[in-house]
Amino acid sequence: MTAVLFDFSGTLFRIESTASWLRAVLDEADIALPEPELAQAAKALHVAGALPGGANPAQLPEELAEVWRIRDQSAELHRAAYTGLSRRVPLPDPGLHDALYDRHRTPAAWTPYPDAAEVLYGLCERGIGIGVVSNIGWDLRPVFREHGLDRFVDAYVLSYEHGIQKPDPRLFATACEALEVDPRETLMVGDDRRADGGAAALGCRVHLVDPLPTAERPDGLRPVLDLAG
């Protein structure tokens, strides 16, 4: 392999829990909720699928179905989809819904998997190109910079910047072109069989990881070092 492409959420990084997400925003707004109410609201947000990078909606509202389907094609669609889901959950202040969305875009909301730096460093040491290919509606580069992983990444290909989302092969082709590599000599690493599996249409090899919490997946990326050869 001459290059490895990585997904972002659930692959290299993990979003904080829904309870942590909500608590951080309430603290910032100086709003106190009794713990049982906070836990109930966090559970409702989780079921609604309101946290980007978290669980999918248990039941997708019909009026949001179309925007949800194409949510990663622009920043506006991404925000509309997730704040639309969030607003289905009553919160003490209507402004909290936008604050929640803004919170998830901050480096503090994300934690790299324990072996992410080790694996990225190992690939760089071998001269293997590294790209990040993500279905997303905002610029994740500051997350990589804040956590010290940006130095390993040669190219970022983000769906909202191209108006194309995985599994469309064109997004993976864009990444291969940016790295100047042959897709047939490229490994795509992700956590979504359908979305990340789209790279196979170009001839890329695909390796899937389990998007577990970071404490439960200490070495899930290490096989990539062997697969990359």
Side-chain angles (χ1 to χ4, degrees), residues 104-157:
H104 103 274
R105 298 187 299 171
T106 65
W110 295 90
T111 302
Y113 279 94
D115 56 346
E118 172 194 339
V119 169
L120 294 176
Y121 175 79
L123 294 173
C124 282
E125 283 289 285
R126 298 180 194 178
I128 294 174
I130 296 173
V132 172
V133 184
S134 178
N135 277 353
I136 200 164
W138 50 276
D139 186 5
L140 51 71
R141 294 173 183 86
V143 176
F144 279 77
R145 285 196 294 269
E146 182 70 22
H147 290 281
L149 300 186
D150 178 66
R151 60 198 171 108
F152 301 121
V153 181
D154 301 300
Y156 293 92
V157 177

Side-chain angles (χ1 to χ4, degrees), residues 16-41:
E16 65 187 330
S17 70
T18 311
S20 171
W21 177 53
L22 176 58
R23 184 174 283 109
V25 168
L26 290 172
D27 288 347
E28 180 69 22
D30 199 22
I31 296 174
L33 271 186
E35 196 61 30
E37 291 183 28
L38 191 152
Q40 183 178 12

Side-chain angles (χ1 to χ4, degrees), residues 59-78:
Q59 184 173 2
L60 185 62
E62 186 177 345
E63 66 272 18
L64 290 175
E66 180 57 19
V67 70
W68 176 262
R69 185 181 68 82
I70 58 173
R71 66 192 181 280
D72 296 312
Q73 292 183 15
S74 77
E76 295 76 18
L77 288 168
H78 196 267

Side-chain angles (χ1 to χ4, degrees), residues 37 72 83 85 92 108 146 148 178 214 221:
E37 291 183 28
D72 296 312
T83 56
L85 291 170
E146 182 70 22
T214 53
L221 290 169

Side-chain angles (χ1 to χ4, degrees), residues 4-7 11 187-191 196 205 207 209 221 224:
V4 180
L5 307 178
F6 288 93
D7 175 48
T11 301
L187 175 67
M188 175 65 207
V189 182
D191 67 300
D196 300 311
R205 184 173 179 181
H207 175 68
V209 295
L221 290 169
V224 172

